[in-house]
Amino acid sequence: MADLKTLKGIKEADRKLLEEAEEWLGAEPAKMGPVKNLFWGNLRLDSYFPYPTQDPREQAECDQLLARLDEYLRTEHPAIQIDQDQEIPRWVVDKLFALGVLGMTIPKEYGGLGMGITSYNRVLEKIGSYCGSTAVMVSAHQSIGCKAVMLFGNDEQKKKWLPHLAKDWLSAFCLSEPNVGCDAGGQETTFTRDGDYYVITGEKKWATSGALSGLFTVMAREERPDGKGKVSALVMHPWIEGVEIFQKNRSKCGIRGTWQARIRFTKARVHKSHLLGKEGRGFQMALSCLNYGRCTLSAGMLGGARRAFDQATKWAMTRHQFGAPLADKELVRLRIARMAAYDYAIDAVLYMTTGMLDRHDEDIQVETALCKVFASEMGWRVTNDAMQIMGGEGYMTENEVERIFRDSRINLIVEGANEVMQSYIFGYGGKQLAEQMLGVRAALLKDPDEPLGGYLAKALKNSFNMRLMKIAIPLGLEVYFGVRRAAPKPPAVAAELQPIAQRLCNLIREHSYQFKVMSKKYDVGMLDRQAVQARMADVAMWLHAWACTLSRLDMDLKAHGANGAADTEFQRDKAAAIHFFDLAEVEIFARFRELYENADTTMLSGADIAMKHCATLPNNRFIIPERSPTAKGTGRTAKQDGIKQFPGQKWSGPVPTDEVKV
């Protein structure tokens, strides 16, 4: 297999990025995950079928927890107050600790409930249906805040910190910085060694619950003269000398009750026993934690979307205009059906992904990224439809949809902006196939710089390599003559679903064909064509969601059997799933068409001239990124009049006796 980094004409920046990404992600797993298989034109049946289920005992325990949690959320939880005051009261945090919610994934031996990822996401979905801010706080604590300790801590570290994280400490994950967002590998927070201690200097932002937390997982790069220091993960506490929470929070559009701290480290010293795992492995740890965070983000999104869907549907049925309910109008029914379809599909994708995590599937980083993109995008569409159906009343604070609408929007940005995730899904979903294609080209086709004699000798030799030709001939027939390979074998689903399964398999074949054709067409230029990448990534997303939804519906059909006709919830879900398959097919064909019929040329020129004009506008009229390498300090100061401020604070809680100041 060839290497994408060896492509002729590749930009040095792209080559470096590929090298860094391979180092961060590690070696390719021996067995490709399901989404990577979609790029090859395969449907990995063992990944999708049967749909994953919970252990009956844990499911029963989780059901009991959900019943207690729902009672609290319905009768006590101050969701509106949290949103209006921009703060989650400490008594709410203590209540969630008491219920076991904030320690539910921590093993029982450390004081937690020891539940799996699916149970945890069921809880996040429930919380998200009532309060997006609280869902984010709970998610940040367990999915990323203390997850690194759970996954990579040694026995001593777990015994020392996990009991607190299960009972009384919130935790924060310190990855983002003023100049580091989606480019998480560009850490500017650094550390040096001083005997048995690490000395950390730098600044973090967007640390959810940082001002409330007793433990931070901090990503920092080793400071080296050659600039090649690697990122490590260090556990720190707010009472350590040199740790300053200089801003507890900033007012924002949605999830207003969550606090995102800005934390400064000024030669903060921490003992070597606070290093998680091995030095230089911090970024891999961060990626592992984000696998869990992207799921819980999706669960909170699903909870909010479902509540908005139910509210808007009830409104459409009871709100009369022009002498009839809104629900009689076809354009309103279009939105109702679409909301139902997306809700069912989000559920199917989310709990397929948590099932993969619970069974410890090896290669699922693309799947967790895709789960985040799908849930956030479709969830946002649902809340937007709900807002439109409710009209002016939907815009009113007391009717809840307005808050869900605002809370939902952030999900398209955090845990990797969806545009970045599209390029990631394309790049790492199709990377191995692209490298195989590159290897075949290098073996059989002439390079422009290659002498004719050398090429003829190479081509003649490789033409007798039967293993190579077995790959090359079908590939050549596809990319040069349009001869598609055979569609993958459909799954053994219920008889009424078999035509839907065959449609899926045909689309998987076409997706693989179009990936190969586009790779040939753009060659090295594909690395810069993000619009093309996004179209192919979107197709992979819809195909994956189709497979998840098909598997879920097949399970539901078998569970209900002859009794399904009397179950209106099941009938709604069945109709929603079948509508989703049609919606997905429309979206997939639209993306295929856009590969050939698009406005990319005028888009690029239009963007160029818009930026050319914007360059003539003085920077001092606009907000400029605080660490901009080209315009730092030239923008206007943002007005803070009337905006609630959250100045920093020192840790006011008790300091454990075994956590003395250094």
Side-chain angles (χ1 to χ4, degrees), residues 283-294:
F283 198 81
Q284 290 87 342
M285 295 180 193
L287 290 175
S288 296
C289 292
L290 288 173
N291 282 337
Y292 298 91
R294 286 170 180 154

Side-chain angles (χ1 to χ4, degrees), residues 133 270 275 316 444:
S133 291
V270 66
L275 173 71
L444 296 174

